[in-house]
Amino acid sequence: MRHLIAAGLLIGLGLLGGCSGGQDLPAGVLRIGNGTEPQDLDPHVTTGLPEYRIQLALFEGLVAKDPRTLEPVPAVARHWTVSDDGLRYTFELRPEARWSNGDAVTADDFVFSFRRLLTPALGGEYAYMLYPIVNARAYHLGQIDDFAAVGVRAPDPHTLVIELEHPVPYFLQLLDHHSAYPVHRPTIEAFGAQARRGTAWTRPGNLVGNGPFVLREWSVNRRIVVEPNPHYWNAGAVHLPAIAFLPVEDANTQERMFRGGQLDIVLGGLNPDKIEYYRRERPQALRVSPAYATYYYEFNTRRPPFDDPRVRRALAMAIDREAIVERVTRGGQRPAAALTPPDPYGYRPPEALRFDPEAARALLAEAGYPDGRGFPPFEVLYNTAEMHQRIAVAIQQMWKRHLNIEARLTNMEWKVYLAARNDGEFDVARAGWVGDFLDPINFLELLSGYSGNNHSGWSDPRFDALLEQSNRERDRARRYALLQEAERLAMEAMPVIPIYYYSNVQLVSERVQGWHDNLLDYHPYLGVRLDRAAD
Amino acid sequence: MLRFIAGRLLQAIPVLWVIVTLTFFLVRLAPGGPFDTERAVSPEVRAALEAHYGLDAPLWRQYLDYLAGVLRGDFGPSFKYANRSVTELIAAGFPVTAELGLWALSIAVLLGVGAGLIAALRPRRWPDHLAMSAAMLGICLPSFVLGPLLALLFGIVLGWLPVSGWGLTPGDKILPALTLGAGYAAYLARLTRGGLLEMLSQDFVRTARAKGAGELRVLLVHALRGGLVPVVAFLGPAAAGLLAGSFVVETVFQIPGLGRFFVQAAFNRDYTMVMGMTVFFSTLIVLFNLLADIALVWLDPRLRGAAGQGGGR
């Protein structure tokens, strides 16, 4: 009967189901809800996560990460050695590595690719990821023109030597970032100048990559489909017949598509109310895990009264972070007592911040505002989004209740908010930071005097010196101790209020095998399969 | 008639020029630019990006270059989608949006005029009340509520139709077209009813009845043509509105149409894309209004004299 009615509807509405462009995917294809339409697929041009998820299928760096432990594992390089001073990395490339057109992947390809990213005219926003390399920064800023002076060379086709300016304990992690992916020189040059962005080389049929998959289809705003690369050196670990990336922007649409069986994986953006539903109904499909990311508020320390560290600490101590994660965000977030999230390598952020309304009131009185008297009205700025608003309202109430001060809430559309924050046109602004690699420096640099991402106006030469010192320290424990000291120092000055550590909330169909949750939300496709028996 | 059309087309040129100019400067006045991102971009990188997109030239130069491009039909490269031109993106999205609009309009006319006819046939009786209550509901229920409701009901609870997509799985066009068409159907129903009732009180209808014509014949043959005048007057802007206003439905049902691009472009400060879309949609709106005017002149004999003199409505 159902089918009769459905058939009737079909005919009655004039065969709206008629075909126009595109076709449905065969069974067994992994369908991933990927947020937004990618700006491009050129790994040296793009900046976003949706692009990176596709590039992870199309390209491969010197090393990769094990998605369970996040430890570096061999990729194009099958072996590497690091000199005792931590300054020279020598990579031995596997001879069987191939581009998707069958060409061998050579050390020269990497030299070419690093040079391309560092060429000023390309405008690669992530070029700074290569700055630890000798003279990379100078070349990128146009201070030197001779790339031979940059610390990358290929003594033979299967050996790549990289020299660093200072020891970088996380350097291997940088090499599987998309900015360090190799690109195929003849392909790039066939479609325009090396350092020209936006040429046609990334179109289906043109793109030559060295990853486990090749680009088959790119329908704008509809989907991107990749299929296995027959020349890939580790083709045996590829079990998916294809992957489709769907640019679904709306979180509710994405969730309906998952429930309706049109998506196998939904990455992020699940409404907290839906989290409850999945906990009850499909606990196997709901994956909530800690993320390497922090949600925080920045003070504009150039403006009174926020130029007084006692005021900043008072406001920070009057926020009940437990209440925010338990009653407002409700999605597995953890209260943050410092800016840096804990990581598996053993960095423990100092417990520098606790909820203590008594002490907060005392500090505020000491700063000259007993019971909030005379405290000037101020604004909390956030970009327009329901969750940011809910959090801001909760914090506004806590400040009112515990400190008797009035915060006004101002929400702005994303780009307006970014412009206001960058120009220092705010009192207190919401911010978030997602770590690119597992190392505390990632977060602590946000507070350095030289970071473009430090909007607070606060800086301290002692803090910058500690970071500098940690760059030269090779022993992990001693290095972490320096960084902890730096973080403790910053948290005493409190130019930012850490609020919570994000969580990764994903929906992964029960049929997907080999998909591992981790801090970096890093999901390579090798070893992933779609179990059709459970369908 | 030809003179009327030519005159209207000539009028469109200054209108479009004003639109291009206003958009060009307004979009640049908006705070935040295409290269503002959450992570700081170094001044050197920003300068390279601005040079690549010609934003380093003086504003008047950029404006003249843009005007020259538009005259050639070249809207430039998209700032956000690095390897696509605006023209290409419009060409990819427009057929989808147009088809969605066409289906929605068909549904709107079918349901709307049908309901209006039924209501006018039995005014102030239960079919009238039923049709008009349904229409009121259709007007009140915005598509961002109706769309998810339909998707949940037919897609997930009943499992008859896909919850998203366009031209990928059979039947995936039904729910979006219905969602987009529903509001317009409701307006059309009320307009049709009103137009017909007005016509039914006219002398020529009374004459037809006196000559013994049946009520249905009176309605369809005598009253309908005149009764449809307000409907047609509404259809021109409605058709343009369907195209420009499909954003919500395209988002709810994951349809790769132009509506989504329009809104994303504004959020991204994708200057060329915003301008390209504005020029494109303005041209369409001017065109649809002209078509509606031509249809009106054909439907309403009183307007013909005026049109003949090239004066427009």
Side-chain angles (χ1 to χ4, degrees):
Chain A
M1 189 61 198
R2 270 184 181 191
H3 296 283
L4 263 180
I5 297 174
L9 268 175
L10 260 176
I11 299 161
L13 287 172
L15 292 169
L16 282 178
C19 199
S20 84
Q23 51 192 153
D24 205 12
L25 299 163
V29 174
L30 184 70
R31 297 156 304 172
I32 299 178
N34 196 32
T36 57
E37 170 69 18
Q39 55 175 148
D40 195 348
L41 291 177
D42 186 332
H44 299 160
V45 164
T46 64
T47 54
L49 211 49
E51 291 82 3
Y52 184 32
R53 291 190 194 114
I54 303 168
Q55 286 154 351
L56 209 46
L58 298 176
F59 300 93
E60 186 172 66
L62 290 164
V63 295
K65 281 194 273 279
D66 183 321
R68 282 158 295 211
T69 61
L70 296 177
E71 290 289 342
V73 292
V76 173
R78 63 178 174 187
H79 180 76
W80 57 85
T81 53
V82 187
S83 64
D84 286 340
D85 58 4
L87 292 178
R88 175 183 298 177
Y89 285 67
T90 308
F91 295 91
E92 182 190 326
L93 273 55
R94 61 181 76 246
E96 71 274 28
R98 290 279 175 281
W99 293 98
S100 54
N101 68 348
D103 290 357
V105 179
T106 64
D108 279 324
D109 289 326
F110 282 90
V111 176
F112 168 76
S113 302
F114 288 8
R115 187 172 109 199
R116 176 172 186 258
L117 176 61
L118 290 170
T119 304
L122 183 73
E125 290 175 44
Y126 266 117
Y128 69 83
M129 294 291 267
L130 299 182
Y131 280 6
I133 299 175
V134 167
N135 280 333
R137 185 193 194 101
Y139 186 82
H140 187 231
L141 298 184
Q143 292 159 358
I144 57 170
D145 293 328
D146 183 9
F147 194 74
V150 178
V152 186
R153 59 198 165 78
D156 70 71
H158 299 298
T159 307
L160 186 75
V161 180
I162 300 180
E163 314 258 4
L164 304 187
E165 303 230 343
H166 59 77
V168 178
Y170 48 88
F171 183 66
L172 287 175
Q173 288 195 60
L174 302 183
L175 295 178
D176 75 351
H177 189 264
H178 56 81
S179 52
Y181 282 159
V183 291
H184 187 242
R185 182 172 191 160
T187 303
I188 301 278
E189 290 177 343
F191 292 94
Q194 283 172 20
R196 185 160 177 82
R197 51 169 52 220
T199 68
W201 81 269
T202 48
R203 300 294 181 98
N206 301 348
L207 196 150
V208 172
N210 69 330
F213 291 84
V214 291
L215 183 62
R216 187 184 84 190
E217 179 192 332
W218 183 353
S219 315
V220 176
N221 257 0
R222 191 192 284 274
R223 69 185 181 195
I224 283 183
V225 182
V226 300
E227 59 190 8
N229 170 6
H231 295 286
Y232 182 59
W233 64 271
N234 193 12
V238 177
H239 307 301
L240 296 165
I243 310 173
F245 298 90
L246 284 77
V248 193
E249 299 216 339
D250 183 68
N252 292 318
T253 300
Q254 197 158 235
E255 191 272 335
R256 277 197 300 277
M257 290 171 73
F258 184 78
R259 244 193 304 169
Q262 293 188 316
L263 284 179
D264 303 303
I265 292 177
V266 167
L267 298 154
L270 199 63
N271 184 323
D273 304 327
K274 296 273 169 55
I275 295 181
E276 288 308 314
Y277 167 87
Y278 280 95
R279 265 193 193 127
R280 246 186 3 256
E281 305 292 328
R282 281 179 78 178
Q284 300 295 315
L286 178 71
R287 310 267 194 105
V288 179
S289 63
Y292 199 56
T294 308
Y295 189 105
Y296 60 101
Y297 275 6
E298 281 180 297
F299 286 112
N300 188 348
T301 64
R302 288 164 291 240
R303 289 188 180 176
F306 304 113
D307 53 349
D308 185 337
R310 290 169 301 187
V311 169
R312 302 197 294 260
R313 281 196 63 83
L315 263 66
M317 287 162 75
I319 296 175
D320 183 355
R321 289 166 191 73
E322 295 278 349
I324 287 175
V325 300
E326 273 163 28
R327 284 188 237 126
V328 183
T329 60
R330 293 181 294 140
Q333 296 84 354
R334 298 149 297 154
L339 187 62
T340 311
D343 69 50
Y345 298 146
Y347 182 79
R348 288 288 164 266
E351 291 287 329
L353 185 58
R354 61 195 196 301
F355 171 53
D356 188 344
E358 280 300 314
R361 267 193 296 273
L363 263 177
L364 201 65
E366 204 185 308
Y369 308 101
D371 193 34
R373 275 196 299 278
F375 200 84
F378 66 102
E379 278 188 0
V380 175
L381 170 69
Y382 55 94
N383 55 302
T384 310
E386 202 189 331
M387 191 49 84
H388 300 328
Q389 162 138 14
R390 286 196 219 167
I391 293 165
V393 167
I395 291 177
Q396 181 190 38
Q397 286 169 351
M398 290 171 190
W399 283 340
K400 176 70 192 159
R401 190 179 330 135
H402 301 307
L403 301 176
N404 196 28
I405 59 176
E406 299 283 348
R408 274 197 315 270
L409 306 187
T410 308
N411 69 88
M412 289 182 177
E413 183 265 333
W414 178 242
K415 292 271 188 182
V416 185
Y417 149 86
L418 288 178
R421 209 178 58 166
N422 287 334
D423 298 343
E425 293 294 322
F426 66 97
D427 297 321
V428 177
R430 174 260 134 195
W433 190 262
V434 183
D436 291 302
F437 49 90
L438 288 179
D439 194 274
I441 197 83
N442 222 316
F443 287 83
L444 293 177
E445 274 193 330
L446 293 175
L447 301 178
S448 70
Y450 53 82
S451 169
N453 293 306
N454 180 356
H455 312 106
S456 70
W458 175 86
S459 67
D460 185 334
R462 285 177 301 161
F463 179 86
D464 293 0
L466 282 166
L467 295 195
E468 176 61 37
Q469 221 179 315
S470 80
N471 272 342
R472 290 191 305 268
E473 178 57 65
R474 290 220 63 210
D475 179 74
R476 183 181 274 177
R478 280 204 295 274
R479 182 168 171 268
Y480 278 0
L482 287 169
L483 293 171
Q484 265 169 336
E485 198 186 327
E487 185 154 19
R488 200 171 293 115
L489 195 117
M491 288 296 105
E492 269 159 30
M494 200 63 68
V496 300
I497 313 179
I499 296 172
Y500 62 77
Y501 301 127
Y502 284 85
S503 59
N504 294 321
V505 180
Q506 309 178 341
L507 294 174
V508 180
S509 159
E510 296 85 343
R511 299 161 56 213
V512 177
Q513 311 290 322
W515 190 268
H516 304 284
D517 301 337
N518 56 54
L519 270 178
L520 291 179
D521 207 10
Y522 168 85
H523 303 288
Y525 306 103
L526 292 182
V528 176
R529 21 177 127 236
L530 206 53
D531 182 5
R532 289 165 72 180
D535 199 358
Chain B
M1 192 60 149
L2 273 180
R3 238 208 280 151
F4 163 71
I5 296 174
R8 288 294 301 272
L9 282 177
L10 275 178
Q11 281 173 24
I13 292 173
V15 170
L16 288 177
W17 173 73
V18 169
I19 290 172
V20 172
T21 306
L22 276 180
T23 322
F24 182 89
F25 290 103
L26 279 179
V27 73
R28 279 167 172 75
L29 279 180
F35 311 123
D36 280 323
T37 53
E38 184 160 27
R39 305 198 162 193
V41 177
S42 70
E44 294 81 11
V45 169
R46 182 178 287 264
L49 290 172
E50 286 178 349
H52 178 79
Y53 291 104
L55 293 182
D56 51 348
L59 201 58
W60 61 266
R61 176 91 243 166
Q62 294 180 39
Y63 173 67
L64 290 184
D65 285 349
Y66 186 72
L67 272 189
V70 169
L71 289 180
R72 292 193 308 269
D74 173 12
F75 293 125
S78 160
F79 282 21
K80 164 82 181 177
Y81 305 107
N83 67 349
R84 312 257 166 196
S85 72
V86 171
T87 313
E88 181 192 357
L89 291 171
I90 292 178
F94 181 64
V96 174
T97 298
E99 195 193 344
L100 171 63
L102 204 68
W103 287 120
L105 203 60
S106 315
I107 288 178
V109 169
L110 217 68
L111 292 181
V113 174
L117 270 172
I118 291 169
L121 208 55
R122 294 268 180 278
R124 283 169 286 281
R125 305 270 291 281
W126 68 265
D128 182 18
H129 293 310
L130 187 73
M132 286 307 111
S133 309
M136 190 46 88
L137 197 68
I139 291 172
C140 294
L141 215 57
S143 47
F144 63 83
V145 174
L146 183 63
L149 275 180
L150 290 177
L152 281 178
L153 179 64
F154 291 101
I156 291 176
V157 178
L158 298 172
W160 294 351
L161 294 167
V163 295
S164 79
W166 186 257
L168 291 175
T169 34
D172 62 8
K173 294 180 183 175
I174 296 175
L175 293 182
L178 202 60
T179 308
L180 188 58
Y184 291 93
Y187 275 108
L188 286 176
R190 296 189 69 86
L191 285 172
T192 309
R193 176 182 179 273
L196 283 175
L197 287 182
E198 194 199 325
M199 280 300 134
L200 287 175
S201 65
Q202 301 275 325
D203 289 344
F204 71 89
V205 169
R206 206 176 320 137
T207 311
R209 284 199 178 118
K211 287 164 114 179
E215 193 58 23
L216 198 63
R217 188 181 156 79
V218 167
L219 199 67
L220 292 180
V221 178
H222 298 275
L224 192 59
R225 183 161 165 181
L228 283 185
V229 167
V231 173
V232 173
F234 174 71
L235 275 184
L242 277 171
L243 292 179
S246 54
F247 162 67
V248 172
V249 173
E250 289 178 8
T251 305
V252 168
F253 292 100
Q254 188 55 23
I255 296 169
L258 271 193
R260 274 169 74 196
F261 268 138
F262 207 175
V263 176
Q264 287 162 6
F267 284 145
N268 293 332
R269 303 290 189 276
D270 191 339
Y271 293 161
T272 42
M273 192 71 191
V274 171
M275 290 185 288
M277 299 285 281
T278 312
V279 173
F280 182 73
F281 276 126
S282 319
T283 314
L284 277 185
I285 289 171
V286 168
L287 211 65
F288 281 130
N289 282 334
L290 177 64
L291 288 179
D293 285 350
I294 294 170
L296 280 179
V297 170
W298 175 74
L299 277 174
D300 189 343
R302 283 171 299 182
L303 292 173
R304 265 176 222 166
Q309 284 145 27
R313 269 192 317 136

